């Protein structure tokens, strides 16, 4: 297959090619999917990058294993991956709470000048802190909807719940985030935006 | 969840936080990418190979190749039978063959054949003779 054709191929098609023994498909899938998986895992795990990398490698490993049995057109590869990552992260968060609740990584609180307003990294850190305070399912639903850009039906498939349940989780999650972040509005100079 | 008396962020303000987090994506390290691709190479199914003829298999001679092309032993047996039958017919010259050919094939007086037949022999009387003598009437 020509290089351009690889670039334009869907994740689904590339996974089938990988399952058929095409070595070029694996590299392209890795470069395409690993950043998204890593970002999502890091957000669910409260910003713990090292643990997010472990989850990313494990999720991709499961993808390679399922490739020979992958049935094209039945599901999107990203939907399948988000589901795997959600489950892996939820398991790790439960174990982590069982050991030490305070060990959840806090975003670095070294916000520099805030006179003219928060820079994007500060906003991201503040949002991560607020996300960490949400119940797991709300955090997963809000992250998938508003950060990863998944649709409600896709989230329903990922979380194995109804679309109505997704809407309820995201609505409650957003209300909680809005309240949490309001505390920091003036402190972080957001009021001047 | 901590309670607050302050006014919650509206949707537009909250969307700016979401956008900031989307922009905050960090690329995976080279170590992670290498580890993932190593796993991929290790677990990748191999394409099915075409069956290969064992190297110790005996090669067929030219005669065997010709025989195989003509149809193998059954065809060779038929051709041999036909050849033998031809030779036998030539040598033995069965009497029945002379009868069937009307003396044309094996006759020793083949040069007289032209004299053996007349027009009357070939055309029935009621057609040839009456046709030729029609004017008399």
């Amino acid at each position: 297959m020509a290089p351009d054709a690889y670039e334009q191929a869907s994740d689904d098609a590339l996974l089938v090619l990988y399952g058929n023994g095409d070595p070029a498909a694996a590299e392209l899938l890795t470069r395409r999917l690993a950043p998204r998986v890593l970002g999502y895992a890091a957000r669910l795990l409260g910003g713990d990058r090292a643990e997010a990398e472990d989850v990313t490698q494990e999720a991709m490993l499961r993808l390679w294993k399922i490739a020979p049995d992958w049935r094209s057109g039945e599901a999107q590869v990203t939907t399948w991956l988000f589901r795997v990552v959600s489950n892996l992260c939820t398991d790790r968060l439960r174990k982590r709470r069982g050991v030490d609740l305070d060990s959840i990584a806090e975003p670095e609180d070294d916000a520099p000048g805030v006179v003219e307003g928060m820079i994007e990294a500060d906003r991201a850190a503040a949002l991560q802190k607020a996300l960490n305070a949400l119940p797991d399912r709300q955090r997963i639903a809000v992250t998938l909807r508003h950060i990863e850009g998944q649709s409600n039906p896709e989230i329903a498939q990922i979380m194995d719940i109804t679309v109505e349940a997704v809407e309820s989780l995201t609505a409650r999650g957003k209300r909680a985030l809005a309240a949490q972040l309001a505390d920091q509005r003036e402190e972080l100079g957001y009021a001047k935006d | 969840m901590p309670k607050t008396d302050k006014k919650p962020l509206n949707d537009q303000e909250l969307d700016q936080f979401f956008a900031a987090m989307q922009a905050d994506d960090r690329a995976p390290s080279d170590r992670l990418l290498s580890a993932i691709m190593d796993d991929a190479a290790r677990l990748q199914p191999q394409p099915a190979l075409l069956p290969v003829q064992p190297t110790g298999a005996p090669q067929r001679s030219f005669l065997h190749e010709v025989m195989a092309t003509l149809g193998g032993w059954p065809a060779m047996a038929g051709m041999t039978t036909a050849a033998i039958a031809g030779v036998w017919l030539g040598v033995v010259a069965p009497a029945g063959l002379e009868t069937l050919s009307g003396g044309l094939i094996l006759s020793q007086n083949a040069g007289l054949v032209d004299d053996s037949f007349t027009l009357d022999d070939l055309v029935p009387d009621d057609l040839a003779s009456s046709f030729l003598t029609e004017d008399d009437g």
Side-chain angles (χ1 to χ4, degrees):
Chain A
M1 187 185 274
D4 282 352
Y6 276 101
E7 293 292 340
Q8 292 168 6
S10 66
D11 297 341
D12 199 51
L14 287 174
L15 190 58
V16 171
L17 281 174
Y18 169 80
N20 288 338
D22 187 331
E27 180 174 354
L28 194 53
L29 273 175
T30 301
R31 296 198 180 281
R32 201 183 274 185
L33 298 174
R36 293 192 71 183
V37 173
L38 177 65
Y40 178 56
R43 281 159 202 142
L44 293 191
L45 292 167
D48 187 329
R49 178 141 181 128
E51 197 165 12
E53 289 202 350
D54 288 346
V55 167
T56 302
Q57 188 176 355
E58 174 64 24
M60 293 299 289
L61 183 81
R62 293 188 185 190
L63 183 67
W64 306 138
K65 284 183 178 173
I66 203 173
D69 302 320
W70 184 264
R71 283 185 286 191
S72 183
E74 281 197 6
Q76 287 192 20
V77 176
T78 46
T79 302
W80 186 89
L81 270 175
F82 281 138
R83 183 172 190 155
V84 170
V85 172
S86 301
N87 292 335
L88 288 171
C89 290
T90 302
D91 288 347
R92 285 175 180 250
L93 288 170
R94 281 180 188 149
K95 286 178 187 168
R96 189 193 279 175
R97 287 190 195 106
V99 177
D100 178 9
L101 192 61
D102 295 328
S103 68
I104 299 174
E106 292 283 334
E108 293 176 11
D109 194 15
D110 55 352
V114 290
V115 177
E116 296 302 323
M118 287 185 347
I119 61 172
E120 295 232 310
D122 295 328
R123 285 181 180 165
L127 177 56
Q128 181 67 66
K129 193 171 183 178
L131 279 170
N132 292 350
L134 291 183
D136 288 348
R137 289 164 64 79
Q138 285 184 28
R139 177 163 62 248
I140 290 171
V142 169
T143 303
L144 286 171
R145 183 75 185 89
H146 296 287
I147 310 296
E148 304 301 337
Q150 299 291 293
S151 67
N152 284 346
E154 286 170 333
I155 298 169
Q157 201 177 349
I158 292 167
M159 298 184 70
D160 201 17
I161 56 178
T162 63
V163 172
E164 290 74 21
V166 173
E167 290 168 350
S168 171
L169 283 171
T170 51
R172 280 185 284 150
K174 276 183 72 175
R175 275 201 301 274
L177 290 177
Q180 285 256 355
L181 292 169
D183 264 352
Q184 302 173 47
R185 179 192 269 133
E186 290 177 11
E187 179 187 343
L188 297 175
Y190 190 79
K192 295 184 180 180
D193 272 11
Chain B
M1 186 185 306
K3 298 291 180 188
T4 176
D5 295 332
K6 293 175 182 169
K7 184 182 169 191
L9 300 186
N10 60 35
D11 280 353
Q12 191 180 359
E13 291 170 329
L14 198 53
D15 283 344
Q16 288 183 299
F17 278 85
F18 290 136
M21 183 169 266
Q22 285 174 331
D24 195 39
D25 265 343
R26 279 161 281 185
S29 64
D30 289 341
R31 186 205 63 78
L32 176 61
L33 292 176
S34 295
I36 292 171
M37 284 189 265
D38 286 348
D39 288 340
R42 183 167 50 84
L43 295 170
Q44 184 162 34
Q46 296 304 307
L49 296 174
L50 292 173
V52 178
Q53 189 174 7
T55 53
Q59 289 192 337
R60 293 196 296 184
S61 67
F62 176 74
L63 183 61
H64 281 90
E65 292 289 345
V66 171
M67 282 178 55
T69 304
L70 293 176
W73 279 112
M76 293 302 291
M79 289 172 65
T80 306
T81 304
I84 292 171
V87 171
W88 177 77
L89 285 172
V91 171
V92 176
L97 192 62
E98 177 78 5
T99 305
L100 289 171
S101 67
L104 286 174
I105 297 177
L106 298 175
S107 171
Q108 297 301 313
N109 301 317
L112 301 174
V113 169
D114 288 344
D115 302 329
S116 302
F117 299 98
T118 64
L119 183 62
D120 287 340
D121 293 330
L122 299 174
V123 181
D125 288 343
D126 55 341
L127 285 178
S129 303
S130 60
F131 177 77
L132 292 171
T133 58
E134 191 176 21
D135 292 342
D136 293 341

